[in-house]
C-alpha cells in the first residue's frame, strides 16, 4: 500500500520527537549543500532530479529497505514524479513531502515552554526549517506575541484555539534575516505594536516605544519588561518575562552569539555586543531562562523539542561568552562572520515598511538557512 504524502507538520513533529527520518533530497547539489532538512536522527541523500531521469537503479541501491523514504524538492512538484519513477523500479515505503522546502521553511510548530503567574502560559513557535523562534505569552484571556514571523495565521489560529485575544505584539529588533509579521499581526488583531525606537531607521508606520524599563502587562498578571541590549543592532532589546525568562532576540543564542554586521556596522556595534554579553547580562538574575529568537544548529534543540537554557549555564558552556581579551573578542566576531542572509537589505526595508513585495517575492527573499549567529 502506497504511503500518503507527508505534511511539513508531520515531518516537524517526527524530527522534534527524535524519530529516525530518511530524506531523499532531489534538489541541485548546491541548493542541498546550502540548506537542507536536518535533525538529531535525520539521514539524507542528495540525488539531483536530472540524475534520476537518467535512471534510478544506482539510487535504488542506496535507499534503505527498512525505513520510510521521504522525497524532497523545492516546491513539492518534481518530488512526486521522482516517487513515481522509484515506485516503478520497485522501491516501496516511499512518498513525497508536500510543498517541498518552500513549505518546510514556512512551518511553525508551537511548543509549550512553561506555566506563568496566575495560570498564565508561555509557548515557543519553532520555525524549524529556518531556525526562527517566536513566542506567545498568555494570561487571563490575553496574549502577547514576541518576534512573530510573516506566517501570522498560525498565531491567530493558536490564540483562537486557546480562546485568548492577541492584545500586544513586540519585536526585539529590526530583523534582517526574515520578514517580521509584527506590524501586520498587530493591525489584523487590533493589538498594540511595540518596537525599540533606536532601531527606527525609517519606519513608515506608528508604534509604541519599547525602551529600557518599559513594561507590558498581559492579562493584568504577567509582566514583560524591556531590557536594552544592543550589539546585534543598535536598538536590540531583550524582554524579561514573569521574572523567569530572558528573551534575548538575536543577541545571545544557546551555542553562539548574534552577529553585529547585518546593517554593515560590525566595527561600530561589536563593542556594544561585548558590553551586552559581558556586562549588561551579568547584571540580571543569572538563573533566568534564555529564550533566543533563533537557533543555528539542530543540536540546540532540547530533548523535549524546545530551545532554551539558563543564563548561568550559557556563561559556563558557550565559548563565545568566555573570551576575556577585548581584541580577541573583536577578532572572533568580525573575522568569523558567515555569509549574510539572502536579500538582507531588502528584508530590512520590507520590515521598515519601505517596500511591499508580494507573497512570492517574500518567500524568495527568505530562501536559505538562518545566518544570524557568529
Amino acid at each position: 500500500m502506497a504511503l500518503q504524502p507527508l505534511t511539513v507538520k508531520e515531518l516537524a513533529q517526527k524530527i522534534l520527537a527524535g524519530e529516525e527520518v530518511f530524506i531523499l533530497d532531489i534538489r541541485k547539489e548546491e541548493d542541498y549543500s546550502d540548506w537542507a532538512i536536518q535533525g538529531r536522527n535525520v539521514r539524507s541523500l542528495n540525488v539531483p532530479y536530472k540524475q534520476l531521469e537518467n535512471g534510478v537503479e544506482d539510487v535504488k541501491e542506496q535507499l534503505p529497505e527498512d525505513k520510510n523514504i521521504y522525497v524532497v524538492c523545492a516546491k513539492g512538484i518534481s518530488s512526486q514524479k521522482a516517487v513515481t519513477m522509484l515506485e516503478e523500479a520497485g522501491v516501496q515505503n516511499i512518498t513525497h513531502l508536500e510543498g517541498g522546502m518552500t513549505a518546510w521553511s514556512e512551518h511553525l510548530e508551537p511548543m509549550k515552554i512553561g506555566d506563568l503567574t496566575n495560570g498564565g502560559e508561555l509557548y515557543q513557535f519553532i520555525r524549524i526549517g529556518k531556525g526562527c523562534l517566536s513566542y506567545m505569552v498568555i494570561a487571563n484571556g490575553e496574549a502577547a506575541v514576541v518576534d512573530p514571523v510573516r506566517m501570522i495565521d498560525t498565531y491567530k489560529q493558536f490564540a483562537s484555539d486557546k480562546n485568548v485575544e492577541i492584545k500586544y505584539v513586540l519585536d526585539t529588533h529590526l530583523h534582517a534575516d526574515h520578514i517580521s509579521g509584527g506590524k501586520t499581526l498587530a493591525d489584523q488583531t487590533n493589538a498594540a505594536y511595540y518596537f525599540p525606537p533606536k532601531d527606527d531607521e525609517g519606519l513608515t508606520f506608528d508604534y509604541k516605544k519599547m525602551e529600557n524599563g518599559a513594561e507590558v502587562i498581559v492579562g493584568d498578571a504577567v509582566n514583560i519588561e524591556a531590557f536594552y541590549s544592543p550589539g546585534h543592532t543598535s536598538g536590540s532589546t531583550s524582554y524579561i518575562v514573569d521574572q523567569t525568562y530572558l528573551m534575548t532576540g538575536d543577541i545571545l543564542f544557546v551555542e553562539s552569539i548574534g552577529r553585529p554586521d547585518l546593517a554593515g556596522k560590525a566595527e561600530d556595534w561589536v563593542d556594544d555586543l561585548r558590553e551586552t554579553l559581558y556586562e549588561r547580562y551579568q547584571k540580571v538574575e543569572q538563573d533566568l531562562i534564555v529564550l533566543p529568537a533563533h537557533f543555528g544548529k539542530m543540536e540546540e534543540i532540547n530533548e523535549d523539542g524546545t530551545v532554551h537554557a539558563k543564563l548561568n549555564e550559557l556563561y559556563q558552556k558557550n565559548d563565545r561568552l568566555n573570551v576575556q581579551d577585548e581584541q580577541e573578542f573583536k577578532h572572533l566576531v568580525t573575522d568569523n562572520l558567515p555569509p549574510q542572509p539572502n536579500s538582507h537589505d531588502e528584508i530590512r526595508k520590507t520590515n521598515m515598511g519601505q517596500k511591499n513585495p508580494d507573497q512570492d517575492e517574500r518567500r524568495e527573499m527568505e530562501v536559505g538557512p538562518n545566518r544570524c549567529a557568529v
Side-chain angles (χ1 to χ4, degrees):
M1 181 178 175
L3 294 176
Q4 293 297 310
L6 186 71
T7 67
V8 288
K9 183 174 183 62
E10 291 169 335
L11 178 58
Q13 291 177 342
K14 287 178 182 292
I15 291 176
L16 291 173
E19 293 183 26
E20 290 189 4
V21 172
F22 186 89
I23 301 288
L24 175 60
D25 192 317
I26 61 170
R27 294 175 300 146
K28 295 177 181 177
E29 183 178 350
E30 57 267 30
D31 294 335
Y32 172 78
S33 297
D34 184 53
W35 178 45
I37 295 173
Q38 298 178 328
R40 190 177 294 111
N41 291 307
V42 173
R43 287 177 54 211
S44 63
L45 172 68
N46 176 226
V47 181
Y49 181 71
K50 286 192 175 296
Q51 184 176 331
L52 287 177
E53 288 183 311
N54 295 327
V56 299
E57 289 303 320
D58 289 345
V59 178
K60 180 181 174 182
E61 294 179 2
Q62 301 177 64
L63 301 176
E65 296 182 358
D66 60 343
K67 293 182 176 62
N68 291 339
I69 300 161
Y70 305 118
V71 184
V72 175
C73 65
K75 297 181 179 180
I77 299 172
S78 55
S79 58
Q80 297 180 54
K81 299 175 184 176
V83 168
T84 299
M85 285 190 284
L86 288 161
E87 284 182 331
E88 290 175 349
V91 177
Q92 300 178 352
N93 299 326
I94 187 168
T95 188
H96 74 283
L97 179 67
E98 289 185 337
M101 292 299 288
T102 298
W104 181 243
S105 171
E106 295 182 342
H107 177 68
L108 301 178
E109 189 64 28
M111 305 291 290
K112 186 172 182 178
I113 293 293
D115 294 319
L116 304 173
T117 299
N118 296 329
E121 296 177 310
L122 174 59
Y123 290 87
Q124 181 178 67
F125 290 75
I126 298 182
R127 189 178 177 185
I128 189 170
K130 184 73 177 169
C132 302
L133 299 168
S134 49
Y135 300 90
M136 185 179 291
V137 176
I138 292 175
N140 295 332
E142 293 186 356
V145 182
V146 180
D147 283 334
V149 297
R150 61 182 169 82
M151 285 69 71
I152 62 172
D153 286 347
T154 301
Y155 308 106
K156 292 162 63 177
Q157 184 61 54
F158 192 82
S160 176
D161 292 344
K162 289 290 181 180
N163 197 29
V164 298
E165 182 180 359
I166 296 174
K167 299 282 288 185
Y168 314 97
V169 180
L170 306 86
D171 270 317
T172 54
H173 64 286
L174 178 63
H175 297 279
D177 77 303
H178 70 275
I179 296 170
S180 168
K183 186 61 169 63
T184 304
L185 178 61
D187 287 347
Q188 290 191 13
T189 59
N190 293 316
Y193 178 60
Y194 292 82
F195 185 84
K198 289 188 177 181
D199 265 2
D200 186 345
E201 300 178 24
L203 268 64
T204 61
F205 45 79
D206 294 331
Y207 59 89
K208 293 184 178 296
K209 295 180 180 180
M210 203 59 173
E211 297 178 287
N212 190 56
E215 294 182 334
V216 168
I217 301 176
V218 184
D220 293 323
V222 175
N223 180 278
I224 301 175
E225 180 183 352
F227 183 82
Y228 183 51
S229 52
H232 175 65
T233 65
S234 60
S236 288
T237 299
S238 301
Y239 297 128
I240 299 174
V241 179
D242 207 29
Q243 303 302 312
T244 303
Y245 299 95
L246 178 65
M247 295 183 179
T248 54
D250 285 348
I251 283 291
L252 175 60
F253 309 122
V254 171
E255 292 193 2
S256 189
I257 58 176
R259 59 191 296 171
D261 69 312
L262 293 185
K265 299 179 181 179
E267 295 294 335
D268 295 335
W269 290 352
V270 68
D271 290 332
D272 279 336
L273 180 63
R274 179 177 173 81
E275 185 175 350
T276 290
L277 296 174
Y278 286 72
E279 296 180 27
R280 292 186 178 95
Y281 279 168
Q282 293 278 13
K283 296 176 182 177
V284 302
E285 293 294 330
Q286 294 300 289
D287 62 351
L288 289 175
I289 297 170
V290 171
L291 297 172
H294 284 93
F295 63 96
K297 298 185 293 185
M298 295 300 293
E299 289 78 9
E300 295 177 54
I301 299 179
N302 298 319
E303 292 289 340
D304 66 355
T306 61
V307 180
H308 61 77
K310 284 193 174 182
L311 183 59
N312 52 15
E313 292 176 359
L314 294 187
Y315 275 111
Q316 295 173 12
K317 298 177 182 179
N318 187 329
D319 58 9
R320 303 294 196 274
L321 298 178
N322 291 282
V323 182
Q324 299 309 316
D325 183 81
E326 288 189 28
Q327 290 304 316
E328 183 182 349
F329 178 84
K330 288 183 179 181
H331 285 299
L332 172 73
V333 171
T334 57
D335 295 348
N336 290 280
L337 294 169
Q340 294 199 329
N342 294 337
S343 307
H344 66 281
D345 192 48
E346 299 301 298
I347 288 173
R348 292 175 77 253
K349 290 178 180 177
T350 300
N351 288 336
M352 287 186 275
Q354 296 179 5
K355 292 180 68 71
N356 185 27
D358 62 31
Q359 289 303 318
D360 287 341
E361 290 174 316
R362 289 170 188 253
R363 286 193 179 100
E364 188 63 28
M365 287 162 65
E366 289 189 341
V367 166
N370 160 47
R371 292 186 176 129
C372 280
V374 172

